[in-house]
Amino acid sequence: MGSWDTDEKKQTHPRAAMIKFKSWLRKRSMKEKIGLGCGAALVVLLFLWFTVDNHDNLFVTAELVHFAGIGVLVYKLTTEKSCAGLSLKSQDLTAIFLAIRLYCSFVMEYDIHTILDLFTLVATLWVEYMMRGPLKSTYNDELDTIETWHVALPCAVLAFIAHPGTTHYFLNRILWAACVYTEAVSVFPQLRMMQKAQVVERFTAHYVFALGIARFLSCAHWVLQIMDGDSFLLTALGSGLWPVMVLLSEIVQTFILSDFCYYYVKSFVEGGNIVRLPAGVV
């Protein structure tokens, strides 16, 4: 009997500690929560800096996580026969930047990123086909109100203002920049759609959380490469406004997903199958 009581205490102790931590965190102000989040991100960044020898592997991992996220959508569409909660506009923007990046990879550099982008693009196009075709009746178009061109057009204009100063053809440099900017905001229609619904079912939540992890790893890749003083990367980025915009784009992607990731983890800790978002998120 005493042994059983001891085992029960061991099992409940972590849960009690988690409840206390959540209670403490809930009492923090928004500024304090932001500070804690930034501090945690910095700790993880330093951990990656000291433990990962080849920081280019972070970018490859980010692309693999993104592909895994698309795989979650494929599973959702094939098993539930429903695309409810998914933003077609975000999928369109994802297909646009992946297609551009795939083209740029072919004409500028052909490597493992090209293959990963090809797989992810094919999976994304399949998701778009299902949402426009067999599962169209389950698509919540009344919640997906941000037009694709409202996001893509400003990215194209910005690409003419700030783009790489490399020796590649001018058009290719513009496309490369447009790809970076479009990727940075491609998830925004999805986040806006979830804000309106305020309830996110598990598969869509898994997908968006995977995007958040991918974006953090990608951002970490750029930051750590620059911290290392990577001469090839610095040469590729060039000087002027373009390097600043690349880093800013990565930070924007990470930042706009951070709120959702917080509520995703919160829901997971509480054992919920859905993620509930307050009206102020995004």
Side-chain angles (χ1 to χ4, degrees):
M1 185 68 178
S3 173
W4 185 86
D5 289 340
T6 302
D7 291 341
E8 185 181 27
K9 288 180 180 179
K10 289 180 179 179
Q11 292 173 4
T12 56
H13 178 69
R15 182 175 178 82
M18 183 61 69
I19 291 174
K20 288 182 179 179
F21 174 75
K22 288 194 305 181
S23 177
W24 175 84
L25 187 62
R26 193 178 297 114
K27 295 176 182 178
R28 301 304 99 193
S29 67
M30 184 53 66
K31 288 184 179 180
E32 289 176 319
K33 290 179 180 178
I34 292 174
L36 288 170
C38 293
L42 181 60
V43 169
V44 174
L45 195 63
L46 291 174
F47 175 78
L48 293 174
W49 192 23
F50 287 112
T51 58
V52 179
D53 293 329
N54 185 359
H55 295 146
D56 191 52
N57 290 336
L58 293 175
F59 195 74
V60 175
T61 304
E63 292 182 312
L64 287 172
V65 173
H66 185 182
F67 180 70
I70 296 291
V72 171
L73 291 189
V74 172
Y75 181 80
K76 166 187 168 67
L77 298 182
T78 53
T79 57
E80 296 191 345
K81 306 298 181 182
S82 171
C83 62
L86 290 180
S87 168
L88 181 57
K89 309 299 174 54
S90 275
Q91 297 304 312
D92 287 340
L93 290 167
T94 300
I96 289 172
F97 84 72
L98 283 172
I100 295 175
R101 193 161 71 188
L102 190 61
Y103 164 77
C104 291
S105 294
F106 274 117
V107 299
M108 293 181 178
E109 55 177 1
Y110 186 88
D111 52 22
I112 183 64
H113 306 295
T114 308
I115 298 173
L116 292 174
D117 283 341
L118 177 60
F119 287 155
T120 308
L121 176 59
V122 170
T124 301
L125 291 174
W126 184 86
V127 170
E128 289 185 290
Y129 161 73
M130 294 296 289
M131 293 182 70
R132 284 192 165 93
L135 304 180
K136 184 178 180 179
S137 61
T138 63
Y139 168 52
N140 306 124
D141 57 338
E142 71 281 0
L143 297 177
D144 199 10
T145 55
I146 297 180
E147 295 296 335
T148 303
W149 70 272
H150 286 172
V151 179
L153 183 59
C155 293
V157 173
L158 187 58
F160 277 93
I161 300 173
H163 52 266
T166 59
T167 57
H168 299 97
Y169 289 119
F170 178 72
L171 177 61
N172 292 341
R173 289 185 281 138
I174 296 298
L175 288 174
W176 183 8
C179 165
V180 171
Y181 302 142
T182 304
E183 182 182 13
V185 292
S186 60
V187 75
F188 187 70
Q190 178 66 64
L191 293 176
R192 185 65 175 171
M193 186 177 185
M194 294 189 304
Q195 181 195 38
K196 291 181 178 180
Q198 294 188 4
V199 176
V200 187
E201 58 84 32
R202 54 177 179 163
F203 289 119
T204 303
H206 295 336
Y207 162 67
V208 179
F209 182 71
L211 292 183
I213 297 299
R215 294 283 58 79
F216 176 78
L217 291 173
S218 179
C219 185
H221 160 260
W222 287 104
V223 172
L224 294 181
Q225 292 282 71
I226 291 176
M227 288 172 63
D228 286 342
D230 189 308
S231 58
F232 175 78
L233 177 66
L234 295 177
T235 301
L237 288 176
S239 59
L241 187 59
W242 169 242
V244 177
M245 295 304 295
V246 170
L247 286 178
L248 184 60
S249 297
E250 292 292 339
I251 292 171
V252 166
Q253 293 179 74
T254 306
F255 179 77
I256 64 177
L257 282 161
S258 60
D259 257 6
F260 173 80
C261 289
Y262 165 75
Y263 288 104
Y264 175 91
V265 173
K266 180 174 180 288
S267 175
F268 177 79
V269 170
E270 294 173 349
N273 288 326
I274 60 174
V275 178
R276 298 187 182 276
L277 303 176
V281 176
V282 186

